[in-house]
Amino acid sequence: MEGDCLSCIKYLMFVFNFLIFLGGSFLLGVGVWVLVDPTGFREIVAANPLLFTGVYIILAMGGMLFLLGFLGCCGAIRENKCLLLFFFMLILIIFLAELAAAILAFVFREHLTREYFTDELKRHYQGYNNTHVFTSTWNAIMNTFECCGVNSPEDFEDSLFRMLHPNDMVPRACCRRITHPGEEQECLMGSMMFRYNKGCYSAVVDYFEMYIYVAGALAIVVLTIELFAMVFAMCLFRGIQ
């Protein structure tokens, strides 16, 4: 009976570690996609250092989960106590690191608010200086998502952009695709017909809303799988003679 229970734990651990292996592969794929995506998602992430750092954290976590899933599968099938103990210690460290990352994300959530991005836009956006990283990033965001400002085009009032370009109500990146001469000038003067009127905060959130929920659900699933994998690893470790 004890042998049957040990065998069941062994194969359950193999299944859980295979799922961890798949989860690590998924995170690696997401991280690589963000870094090479041609639609401008990298520029969106680069607008905030916390988000840009998060991409590399995803890559690192994905790589470690990929490796750990492989080690866990090997340790379970071979019933190797050294591999199982090594696996348990590493996955415990990753589990605690993920919890710490979630806590930090909650603590620093104020850096992802509308007010934070609006203040940064007013203080740093220059309009037409594409050698300035912050400015070129925002131009890419507004062109990609067909939006203007954080909340609306009114965000450019009392901003650095208006100080540098007092004759322009909005930057050229806020203008709709020009089809007739004179439309761009109308846009720059503030005509609602020729500019994007939706704020970029809402545009980006609407675009990625489904992916945000999927990512959150996936994180909960991964943490649960890791917890069960640690329990099975320790049970198998104690059961091996």
Side-chain angles (χ1 to χ4, degrees):
M1 184 68 179
E2 184 178 345
D4 292 338
C5 183
L6 188 64
S7 179
C8 180
I9 291 175
K10 180 174 76 172
Y11 288 110
L12 279 174
M13 183 178 170
F14 177 85
V15 170
F16 274 106
N17 279 283
F18 184 69
L19 293 174
I20 291 173
F21 177 83
L22 292 179
S25 302
F26 175 80
L27 291 177
L28 276 174
V30 169
V32 171
W33 170 72
V34 169
L35 291 179
V36 302
D37 177 50
T39 61
F41 188 55
R42 181 178 180 177
E43 285 77 11
I44 296 168
V45 173
N48 190 297
L50 288 174
L51 294 179
F52 195 68
T53 303
V55 173
Y56 289 99
I57 292 175
I58 288 174
L59 280 172
M61 287 297 180
M64 292 190 71
L65 289 176
F66 181 90
L67 177 62
L68 280 173
F70 179 77
L71 288 176
C73 288
C74 291
I77 293 299
R78 292 177 176 271
E79 297 185 8
N80 186 305
K81 295 187 75 171
C82 182
L83 271 178
L84 288 172
L85 184 60
F86 181 65
F87 165 81
F88 177 85
M89 295 303 297
L90 281 182
I91 204 167
L92 177 62
I93 292 171
I94 290 178
F95 182 82
L96 294 176
E98 289 171 343
L99 283 179
I103 293 170
L104 286 174
F106 178 79
V107 170
F108 289 104
R109 67 191 185 281
E110 65 271 9
H111 291 290
L112 303 177
T113 62
R114 289 176 181 266
E115 291 75 17
Y116 173 80
F117 285 114
T118 303
D119 183 61
E120 291 291 295
L121 182 73
K122 286 180 176 289
R123 290 195 294 122
H124 301 297
Y125 181 76
Q126 298 180 12
Y128 309 122
N129 182 7
N130 281 321
T131 60
H132 184 244
V133 175
F134 186 88
T135 298
S136 62
T137 296
W138 266 101
N139 285 337
I141 292 172
M142 291 189 285
N143 284 321
T144 300
F145 290 95
E146 299 184 345
C147 55
C148 187
V150 177
N151 305 289
S152 70
E154 282 67 35
D155 290 338
F156 293 103
E157 296 177 1
D158 302 319
S159 66
L160 174 63
F161 167 76
R162 289 298 304 279
M163 291 177 61
L164 296 174
H165 310 280
N167 295 325
D168 294 346
M169 300 295 292
V170 294
R172 193 173 294 118
C174 285
C175 296
R176 297 178 184 274
R177 187 168 299 178
I178 304 302
T179 57
H180 295 93
E183 288 183 354
E184 181 177 292
Q185 190 59 36
E186 290 287 334
C187 167
L188 298 178
M189 292 175 64
S191 174
M192 296 179 63
M193 291 180 60
F194 303 108
R195 74 183 187 193
Y196 301 125
N197 294 297
K198 186 174 184 178
C200 291
Y201 192 95
S202 297
V204 173
V205 168
D206 290 347
Y207 184 83
F208 290 106
E209 185 175 17
M210 182 184 70
Y211 301 103
I212 291 171
Y213 288 124
V214 170
L218 179 66
I220 293 172
V221 170
V222 168
L223 286 172
T224 303
I225 291 173
E226 287 172 355
L227 189 60
F228 275 103
M230 285 189 289
V231 172
F232 289 144
M234 189 49 61
C235 290
L236 189 57
F237 178 84
R238 291 170 61 86
I240 294 174
Q241 302 299 323

